[in-house]
Structures are given as C-alpha cells and as structure tokens.
Amino acid sequence: MSQPPQQPYQQPGWYGAPQQPPPSNKTALWVGLGVLGLVVVVAVVAITGFVAPGFFLPDSKSKGAVASPSSAPSSTSQQTTTQSPVQIPGERTPLPKRSAPLADPASCAYPPDSSGPVPKKATPPAPGPAPSNGTMAVTLKTTAGDIGLTLDRALAPCTVANFLSLARQGYYDGTSCHRLGTSGLQMLQCGDPQGDGTGGPGYTIPDEVFPELKYGRGILAMAKKQAPDTGGSQFFMVFGEAELPPEYTVFGSISDAGLQVLDKVARGGVDDAKGNGDGTGPPLVPVTFQSVAVG
C-alpha cells in the first residue's frame, strides 16, 4: 500500500505514520495459520536446542550484547543503506510561472506571530512596497558544501524580501537543517533556529501561491504551518519528487552544484531514531549554515 506524501509543515503539524486499514477476513485467516505454524516451528527449535547444545545464544552477557544498539553500529548502518537506497530523479522540474504578472511593486505585510515561543527573534522587513521583478543570487555556505540559490521576485516578492532580510541579518548563520525526506517527499527543510521544526523569526509572511505551482527537483519553497499565511523563516529545497498541493510559496531555484550537495546529503540517509514517524528526520550528514552570501 502506498503512503500519502509527507507535507513540509512546520511543527506542530507534521503528519505521523498513516494507520494501516484493518485486515480482511482472508487476511485474518492467513495470519492465524501463520501464527499456528510459528508455534510449531518454535517448539521444534526448542527441542533441537536442548538436544544440540550451543544452538541458542547464551543467556546473560551475549543476550545483552546483541540487544545493545552500540554493539554493531557499522553493520546496522550498512543494512539500512542496502535496504533503502535513495532513488533521485535526474531531471529538473521547470520553475513555475504566473499566468498573470503581479503588480509592481507588490504590497507586503509581516504581522507579529504570537503562536509560540521565539528562540531567535528577527527584525521583519519594512511593510509596504516590494519589487516584483528581477532575480537575486544567494549562496548558502554550509558544512556539507555551498548551495547556490536564485530568488525570483516575480514569483513571490514578499517572500524574497523576507529571505534577503533574514540573510543580511545573519539570522540563518549557525542554524542546521532539521528535516530530510528521501522517499515520497524528497527535500531538505532548513531555517529553524530551534532545530526541531517549531522555531521562527517572531512574525509571519503571506502565502504567495497560485494554482499552477508544481514541486520537484530544483525548486525552492517556503514551509509553513497548516493554517494559511503562517510561514516565517523555514524553507525547503527539493532535490527529487514532491507531490504536493499548491499551498507552499515557490520563490526560487537551486543551482546544479547545490543539487549535487543535496544529493550527497540525501544518500547519507535519515536519522530514523530522531525522526517523527513519517519517514523524515534529521540528516545523517549534518548541514549547518556557516553564512549566507547575497549577490
């Protein structure tokens, strides 16, 4: 059974693992037969264990060693990688275009966010007009490598103005990307100073969405809570598939070299032990922003 795609919500709002439907009568019958067979096998093995000493692991110390997660971390990691190789599409998704251009300049507002604590407060951009044409180059200098971005004001002028403001304030410096998805929703989510998906700059930005929005390899978009107009500082970079509704503001694209960095991080895998039960979690290859260069 295929699972619905995860959503790039800020916390709270991540989806948990979907519940499986109840088994059919036929399925229940096979499960019952399987349990009966298992009981028979266990009985045979138990008898064999008493007849042939050494078949079972010794009781105390060896059992403890086998149960310890630190006893064989290398083999566990290799097994996980072998079982779940990351499949990344090679083709870019074209940057979406508005069917009708926005007014130039656009009018923007950044109201205070009172929904929760603010671990790292930022000064919002000045409300009022923002240009809705032209692009701006940005380079995310990270511990995993440089990720080049091109911000597009024609797509989302208020979002671009906010991102540039945060970058120039050094807001992202020292923060780490907290959420990686490698299947279904293939993206890296960053921009939370709290590091767990709950943080923001202390204000919100408007959604700048339109029906033609598509998400896929190379797309840069804003994360948000489930309610409209709840974005702030968190964003996500798509390096693969992303079947999402057009509810997340797209405000630019990712360079080829930047995608190679994201591919490397994705192939490193997800830290499932610190995940949220939806297949996403912190990347095993850490991505911490050292600085953000504008221009």
Side-chain angles (χ1 to χ4, degrees), residues 177-216:
C177 298
H178 63 278
R179 187 182 182 214
L180 173 68
T182 59
S183 177
L185 177 60
Q186 295 183 307
M187 60 89 211
L188 182 66
Q189 187 169 336
C190 313
D192 174 19
Q194 187 79 352
D196 60 4
T198 64
Y203 60 87
T204 60
I205 66 174
D207 293 338
E208 297 178 285
V209 296
F210 49 96
E212 296 83 7
L213 283 177
K214 300 290 183 183
Y215 308 88

mmCIF file of all heavy atoms in Angstrom, residues 177-216:
data_model
loop_
_atom_site.group_PDB
_atom_site.id
_atom_site.type_symbol
_atom_site.label_atom_id
_atom_site.label_comp_id
_atom_site.label_asym_id
_atom_site.label_seq_id
_atom_site.Cartn_x
_atom_site.Cartn_y
_atom_site.Cartn_z
ATOM 1 N N CYS A 177 19.921 22.338 9.235
ATOM 2 C CA CYS A 177 18.739 21.777 8.567
ATOM 3 C C CYS A 177 18.261 20.583 9.385
ATOM 4 O O CYS A 177 19.028 19.656 9.652
ATOM 5 C CB CYS A 177 19.085 21.363 7.145
ATOM 6 S SG CYS A 177 19.626 22.759 6.112
ATOM 7 N N HIS A 178 16.995 20.603 9.779
ATOM 8 C CA HIS A 178 16.494 19.663 10.773
ATOM 9 C C HIS A 178 15.685 18.512 10.209
ATOM 10 O O HIS A 178 15.375 17.564 10.925
ATOM 11 C CB HIS A 178 15.617 20.404 11.791
ATOM 12 C CG HIS A 178 14.391 21.021 11.179
ATOM 13 N ND1 HIS A 178 14.410 22.239 10.539
ATOM 14 C CD2 HIS A 178 13.109 20.579 11.101
ATOM 15 C CE1 HIS A 178 13.196 22.532 10.101
ATOM 16 N NE2 HIS A 178 12.393 21.536 10.429
ATOM 17 N N ARG A 179 15.345 18.570 8.914
ATOM 18 C CA ARG A 179 14.422 17.558 8.399
ATOM 19 C C ARG A 179 14.757 17.183 6.960
ATOM 20 O O ARG A 179 14.772 18.033 6.082
ATOM 21 C CB ARG A 179 12.984 18.072 8.485
ATOM 22 C CG ARG A 179 11.930 17.026 8.141
ATOM 23 C CD ARG A 179 10.542 17.632 8.199
ATOM 24 N NE ARG A 179 9.524 16.642 7.928
ATOM 25 C CZ ARG A 179 8.383 16.895 7.290
ATOM 26 N NH1 ARG A 179 8.117 18.119 6.864
ATOM 27 N NH2 ARG A 179 7.498 15.943 7.067
ATOM 28 N N LEU A 180 15.025 15.900 6.758
ATOM 29 C CA LEU A 180 15.325 15.354 5.433
ATOM 30 C C LEU A 180 14.287 14.303 5.079
ATOM 31 O O LEU A 180 13.933 13.466 5.906
ATOM 32 C CB LEU A 180 16.722 14.730 5.425
ATOM 33 C CG LEU A 180 17.142 13.960 4.171
ATOM 34 C CD1 LEU A 180 17.320 14.902 2.988
ATOM 35 C CD2 LEU A 180 18.425 13.172 4.426
ATOM 36 N N GLY A 181 13.798 14.367 3.849
ATOM 37 C CA GLY A 181 12.936 13.317 3.323
ATOM 38 C C GLY A 181 13.581 12.718 2.084
ATOM 39 O O GLY A 181 14.038 13.459 1.210
ATOM 40 N N THR A 182 13.638 11.411 2.001
ATOM 41 C CA THR A 182 14.301 10.759 0.864
ATOM 42 C C THR A 182 13.365 9.887 0.047
ATOM 43 O O THR A 182 13.775 9.337 -0.967
ATOM 44 C CB THR A 182 15.480 9.885 1.357
ATOM 45 O OG1 THR A 182 14.990 8.891 2.259
ATOM 46 C CG2 THR A 182 16.516 10.743 2.069
ATOM 47 N N SER A 183 12.116 9.751 0.475
ATOM 48 C CA SER A 183 11.156 8.929 -0.253
ATOM 49 C C SER A 183 9.788 9.588 -0.183
ATOM 50 O O SER A 183 9.334 9.972 0.893
ATOM 51 C CB SER A 183 11.095 7.525 0.345
ATOM 52 O OG SER A 183 10.128 6.730 -0.308
ATOM 53 N N GLY A 184 9.128 9.716 -1.334
ATOM 54 C CA GLY A 184 7.821 10.369 -1.371
ATOM 55 C C GLY A 184 7.960 11.872 -1.432
ATOM 56 O O GLY A 184 7.565 12.508 -2.406
ATOM 57 N N LEU A 185 8.499 12.455 -0.397
ATOM 58 C CA LEU A 185 8.819 13.877 -0.355
ATOM 59 C C LEU A 185 10.331 14.004 -0.204
ATOM 60 O O LEU A 185 10.875 13.831 0.878
ATOM 61 C CB LEU A 185 8.095 14.551 0.807
ATOM 62 C CG LEU A 185 8.395 16.049 1.022
ATOM 63 C CD1 LEU A 185 8.004 16.860 -0.204
ATOM 64 C CD2 LEU A 185 7.686 16.571 2.255
ATOM 65 N N GLN A 186 11.005 14.284 -1.299
ATOM 66 C CA GLN A 186 12.466 14.316 -1.314
ATOM 67 C C GLN A 186 12.933 15.768 -1.191
ATOM 68 O O GLN A 186 13.062 16.483 -2.188
ATOM 69 C CB GLN A 186 12.998 13.668 -2.590
ATOM 70 C CG GLN A 186 12.666 12.178 -2.674
ATOM 71 C CD GLN A 186 13.241 11.521 -3.898
ATOM 72 O OE1 GLN A 186 13.033 11.969 -5.023
ATOM 73 N NE2 GLN A 186 13.971 10.427 -3.705
ATOM 74 N N MET A 187 13.188 16.176 0.023
ATOM 75 C CA MET A 187 13.546 17.570 0.270
ATOM 76 C C MET A 187 14.355 17.674 1.546
ATOM 77 O O MET A 187 14.359 16.780 2.398
ATOM 78 C CB MET A 187 12.297 18.448 0.345
ATOM 79 C CG MET A 187 11.316 18.078 1.443
ATOM 80 S SD MET A 187 11.648 18.902 3.023
ATOM 81 C CE MET A 187 11.077 17.679 4.191
ATOM 82 N N LEU A 188 15.030 18.808 1.697
ATOM 83 C CA LEU A 188 15.740 19.156 2.926
ATOM 84 C C LEU A 188 15.128 20.440 3.456
ATOM 85 O O LEU A 188 15.079 21.452 2.752
ATOM 86 C CB LEU A 188 17.231 19.351 2.646
ATOM 87 C CG LEU A 188 18.104 19.673 3.871
ATOM 88 C CD1 LEU A 188 18.142 18.486 4.830
ATOM 89 C CD2 LEU A 188 19.518 20.050 3.445
ATOM 90 N N GLN A 189 14.633 20.405 4.699
ATOM 91 C CA GLN A 189 13.972 21.553 5.317
ATOM 92 C C GLN A 189 14.928 22.222 6.301
ATOM 93 O O GLN A 189 15.550 21.564 7.135
ATOM 94 C CB GLN A 189 12.697 21.109 6.024
ATOM 95 C CG GLN A 189 11.845 22.267 6.549
ATOM 96 C CD GLN A 189 10.467 21.804 6.995
ATOM 97 O OE1 GLN A 189 9.968 20.775 6.542
ATOM 98 N NE2 GLN A 189 9.849 22.566 7.885
ATOM 99 N N CYS A 190 15.029 23.544 6.200
ATOM 100 C CA CYS A 190 16.014 24.306 6.978
ATOM 101 C C CYS A 190 15.378 25.597 7.490
ATOM 102 O O CYS A 190 14.210 25.880 7.244
ATOM 103 C CB CYS A 190 17.232 24.652 6.105
ATOM 104 S SG CYS A 190 17.900 23.291 5.125
ATOM 105 N N GLY A 191 16.190 26.390 8.195
ATOM 106 C CA GLY A 191 15.771 27.729 8.577
ATOM 107 C C GLY A 191 15.159 27.868 9.945
ATOM 108 O O GLY A 191 14.651 28.947 10.280
ATOM 109 N N ASP A 192 15.212 26.808 10.769
ATOM 110 C CA ASP A 192 14.635 26.873 12.108
ATOM 111 C C ASP A 192 15.754 27.029 13.137
ATOM 112 O O ASP A 192 16.542 26.106 13.339
ATOM 113 C CB ASP A 192 13.843 25.596 12.395
ATOM 114 C CG ASP A 192 13.339 25.537 13.830
ATOM 115 O OD1 ASP A 192 13.282 26.603 14.479
ATOM 116 O OD2 ASP A 192 13.005 24.431 14.302
ATOM 117 N N PRO A 193 15.842 28.174 13.817
ATOM 118 C CA PRO A 193 16.892 28.336 14.826
ATOM 119 C C PRO A 193 16.709 27.413 16.030
ATOM 120 O O PRO A 193 17.664 27.153 16.757
ATOM 121 C CB PRO A 193 16.747 29.803 15.234
ATOM 122 C CG PRO A 193 15.333 30.160 14.923
ATOM 123 C CD PRO A 193 14.984 29.365 13.705
ATOM 124 N N GLN A 194 15.491 26.907 16.236
ATOM 125 C CA GLN A 194 15.223 25.987 17.330
ATOM 126 C C GLN A 194 15.757 24.586 17.011
ATOM 127 O O GLN A 194 16.077 23.814 17.907
ATOM 128 C CB GLN A 194 13.711 25.920 17.603
ATOM 129 C CG GLN A 194 13.310 25.131 18.826
ATOM 130 C CD GLN A 194 13.498 25.906 20.114
ATOM 131 O OE1 GLN A 194 14.064 26.995 20.110
ATOM 132 N NE2 GLN A 194 13.040 25.345 21.220
ATOM 133 N N GLY A 195 15.805 24.257 15.731
ATOM 134 C CA GLY A 195 16.353 22.978 15.306
ATOM 135 C C GLY A 195 15.409 21.803 15.383
ATOM 136 O O GLY A 195 15.825 20.665 15.185
ATOM 137 N N ASP A 196 14.118 22.035 15.635
ATOM 138 C CA ASP A 196 13.173 20.926 15.742
ATOM 139 C C ASP A 196 11.896 21.159 14.941
ATOM 140 O O ASP A 196 10.946 20.384 15.048
ATOM 141 C CB ASP A 196 12.816 20.662 17.206
ATOM 142 C CG ASP A 196 12.179 21.867 17.891
ATOM 143 O OD1 ASP A 196 11.933 22.897 17.205
ATOM 144 O OD2 ASP A 196 11.920 21.800 19.110
ATOM 145 N N GLY A 197 11.861 22.211 14.153
ATOM 146 C CA GLY A 197 10.690 22.489 13.335
ATOM 147 C C GLY A 197 9.689 23.433 13.960
ATOM 148 O O GLY A 197 8.661 23.728 13.353
ATOM 149 N N THR A 198 9.940 23.939 15.159
ATOM 150 C CA THR A 198 8.970 24.797 15.843
ATOM 151 C C THR A 198 9.342 26.273 15.802
ATOM 152 O O THR A 198 8.541 27.118 16.185
ATOM 153 C CB THR A 198 8.835 24.380 17.317
ATOM 154 O OG1 THR A 198 10.089 24.587 17.990
ATOM 155 C CG2 THR A 198 8.445 22.916 17.433
ATOM 156 N N GLY A 199 10.558 26.606 15.383
ATOM 157 C CA GLY A 199 11.052 27.973 15.516
ATOM 158 C C GLY A 199 10.721 28.869 14.338
ATOM 159 O O GLY A 199 10.446 28.426 13.229
ATOM 160 N N GLY A 200 10.766 30.165 14.607
ATOM 161 C CA GLY A 200 10.525 31.174 13.578
ATOM 162 C C GLY A 200 11.046 32.518 14.032
ATOM 163 O O GLY A 200 11.548 32.667 15.152
ATOM 164 N N PRO A 201 10.901 33.541 13.182
ATOM 165 C CA PRO A 201 11.509 34.843 13.470
ATOM 166 C C PRO A 201 10.682 35.774 14.345
ATOM 167 O O PRO A 201 11.107 36.882 14.652
ATOM 168 C CB PRO A 201 11.673 35.439 12.071
ATOM 169 C CG PRO A 201 10.519 34.886 11.298
ATOM 170 C CD PRO A 201 10.312 33.494 11.830
ATOM 171 N N GLY A 202 9.464 35.330 14.735
ATOM 172 C CA GLY A 202 8.609 36.187 15.562
ATOM 173 C C GLY A 202 7.562 36.953 14.772
ATOM 174 O O GLY A 202 6.809 37.734 15.336
ATOM 175 N N TYR A 203 7.497 36.712 13.475
ATOM 176 C CA TYR A 203 6.466 37.321 12.629
ATOM 177 C C TYR A 203 6.143 36.333 11.518
ATOM 178 O O TYR A 203 6.842 35.318 11.342
ATOM 179 C CB TYR A 203 6.927 38.661 12.049
ATOM 180 C CG TYR A 203 8.166 38.572 11.184
ATOM 181 C CD1 TYR A 203 8.081 38.298 9.818
ATOM 182 C CD2 TYR A 203 9.438 38.756 11.722
ATOM 183 C CE1 TYR A 203 9.216 38.205 9.031
ATOM 184 C CE2 TYR A 203 10.576 38.671 10.937
ATOM 185 C CZ TYR A 203 10.457 38.391 9.589
ATOM 186 O OH TYR A 203 11.578 38.291 8.802
ATOM 187 N N THR A 204 5.096 36.609 10.766
ATOM 188 C CA THR A 204 4.694 35.718 9.677
ATOM 189 C C THR A 204 4.746 36.456 8.351
ATOM 190 O O THR A 204 4.753 37.706 8.302
ATOM 191 C CB THR A 204 3.280 35.165 9.887
ATOM 192 O OG1 THR A 204 2.351 36.263 9.956
ATOM 193 C CG2 THR A 204 3.197 34.365 11.181
ATOM 194 N N ILE A 205 4.767 35.681 7.280
ATOM 195 C CA ILE A 205 4.771 36.262 5.935
ATOM 196 C C ILE A 205 3.562 35.728 5.177
ATOM 197 O O ILE A 205 3.026 34.658 5.493
ATOM 198 C CB ILE A 205 6.073 35.931 5.188
ATOM 199 C CG1 ILE A 205 6.178 34.429 4.904
ATOM 200 C CG2 ILE A 205 7.283 36.385 6.004
ATOM 201 C CD1 ILE A 205 7.371 34.049 4.051
ATOM 202 N N PRO A 206 3.108 36.441 4.165
ATOM 203 C CA PRO A 206 1.925 35.982 3.431
ATOM 204 C C PRO A 206 2.263 34.839 2.483
ATOM 205 O O PRO A 206 3.377 34.746 1.963
ATOM 206 C CB PRO A 206 1.498 37.235 2.647
ATOM 207 C CG PRO A 206 2.772 37.990 2.440
ATOM 208 C CD PRO A 206 3.591 37.762 3.682
ATOM 209 N N ASP A 207 1.297 33.957 2.272
ATOM 210 C CA ASP A 207 1.433 32.956 1.212
ATOM 211 C C ASP A 207 1.356 33.668 -0.135
ATOM 212 O O ASP A 207 0.521 34.568 -0.329
ATOM 213 C CB ASP A 207 0.301 31.926 1.293
ATOM 214 C CG ASP A 207 0.384 31.067 2.542
ATOM 215 O OD1 ASP A 207 1.486 30.959 3.123
ATOM 216 O OD2 ASP A 207 -0.661 30.494 2.942
ATOM 217 N N GLU A 208 2.210 33.258 -1.068
ATOM 218 C CA GLU A 208 2.176 33.815 -2.419
ATOM 219 C C GLU A 208 2.083 32.636 -3.390
ATOM 220 O O GLU A 208 3.050 32.251 -4.041
ATOM 221 C CB GLU A 208 3.419 34.664 -2.677
ATOM 222 C CG GLU A 208 3.494 35.885 -1.750
ATOM 223 C CD GLU A 208 4.739 36.723 -1.945
ATOM 224 O OE1 GLU A 208 5.817 36.295 -1.493
ATOM 225 O OE2 GLU A 208 4.632 37.811 -2.545
ATOM 226 N N VAL A 209 0.894 32.064 -3.441
ATOM 227 C CA VAL A 209 0.685 30.828 -4.187
ATOM 228 C C VAL A 209 -0.285 31.061 -5.344
ATOM 229 O O VAL A 209 -1.029 32.044 -5.369
ATOM 230 C CB VAL A 209 0.143 29.717 -3.261
ATOM 231 C CG1 VAL A 209 1.169 29.378 -2.185
ATOM 232 C CG2 VAL A 209 -1.164 30.140 -2.598
ATOM 233 N N PHE A 210 -0.254 30.119 -6.283
ATOM 234 C CA PHE A 210 -1.171 30.175 -7.429
ATOM 235 C C PHE A 210 -1.357 28.748 -7.935
ATOM 236 O O PHE A 210 -0.525 27.857 -7.673
ATOM 237 C CB PHE A 210 -0.659 31.114 -8.523
ATOM 238 C CG PHE A 210 0.780 30.911 -8.913
ATOM 239 C CD1 PHE A 210 1.134 30.137 -10.007
ATOM 240 C CD2 PHE A 210 1.797 31.513 -8.172
ATOM 241 C CE1 PHE A 210 2.459 29.953 -10.361
ATOM 242 C CE2 PHE A 210 3.128 31.340 -8.528
ATOM 243 C CZ PHE A 210 3.456 30.552 -9.629
ATOM 244 N N PRO A 211 -2.453 28.475 -8.659
ATOM 245 C CA PRO A 211 -2.818 27.087 -8.990
ATOM 246 C C PRO A 211 -1.776 26.340 -9.807
ATOM 247 O O PRO A 211 -1.717 25.106 -9.748
ATOM 248 C CB PRO A 211 -4.125 27.242 -9.780
ATOM 249 C CG PRO A 211 -4.679 28.563 -9.353
ATOM 250 C CD PRO A 211 -3.500 29.441 -9.084
ATOM 251 N N GLU A 212 -0.966 27.034 -10.578
ATOM 252 C CA GLU A 212 -0.020 26.354 -11.471
ATOM 253 C C GLU A 212 1.245 25.861 -10.762
ATOM 254 O O GLU A 212 2.141 25.313 -11.408
ATOM 255 C CB GLU A 212 0.383 27.304 -12.622
ATOM 256 C CG GLU A 212 -0.742 27.696 -13.547
ATOM 257 C CD GLU A 212 -1.586 28.854 -13.017
ATOM 258 O OE1 GLU A 212 -1.199 29.437 -11.973
ATOM 259 O OE2 GLU A 212 -2.617 29.173 -13.634
ATOM 260 N N LEU A 213 1.342 26.047 -9.464
ATOM 261 C CA LEU A 213 2.549 25.660 -8.753
ATOM 262 C C LEU A 213 2.786 24.148 -8.840
ATOM 263 O O LEU A 213 1.879 23.349 -8.631
ATOM 264 C CB LEU A 213 2.463 26.066 -7.281
ATOM 265 C CG LEU A 213 2.689 27.546 -6.960
ATOM 266 C CD1 LEU A 213 2.497 27.801 -5.481
ATOM 267 C CD2 LEU A 213 4.079 27.987 -7.405
ATOM 268 N N LYS A 214 4.017 23.780 -9.159
ATOM 269 C CA LYS A 214 4.468 22.393 -9.162
ATOM 270 C C LYS A 214 5.783 22.321 -8.387
ATOM 271 O O LYS A 214 6.560 23.276 -8.369
ATOM 272 C CB LYS A 214 4.683 21.886 -10.591
ATOM 273 C CG LYS A 214 3.450 21.918 -11.479
ATOM 274 C CD LYS A 214 2.431 20.887 -11.038
ATOM 275 C CE LYS A 214 1.229 20.876 -11.981
ATOM 276 N NZ LYS A 214 0.185 19.925 -11.546
ATOM 277 N N TYR A 215 6.015 21.173 -7.765
ATOM 278 C CA TYR A 215 7.213 20.995 -6.949
ATOM 279 C C TYR A 215 7.995 19.786 -7.460
ATOM 280 O O TYR A 215 7.412 18.778 -7.859
ATOM 281 C CB TYR A 215 6.839 20.793 -5.482
ATOM 282 C CG TYR A 215 5.905 21.859 -4.954
ATOM 283 C CD1 TYR A 215 4.523 21.715 -5.083
ATOM 284 C CD2 TYR A 215 6.387 23.018 -4.353
ATOM 285 C CE1 TYR A 215 3.651 22.688 -4.617
ATOM 286 C CE2 TYR A 215 5.529 23.998 -3.890
ATOM 287 C CZ TYR A 215 4.162 23.828 -4.023
ATOM 288 O OH TYR A 215 3.290 24.798 -3.573
ATOM 289 N N GLY A 216 9.303 19.905 -7.454
ATOM 290 C CA GLY A 216 10.156 18.814 -7.898
ATOM 291 C C GLY A 216 11.604 19.245 -7.826
ATOM 292 O O GLY A 216 11.949 20.267 -7.214
#
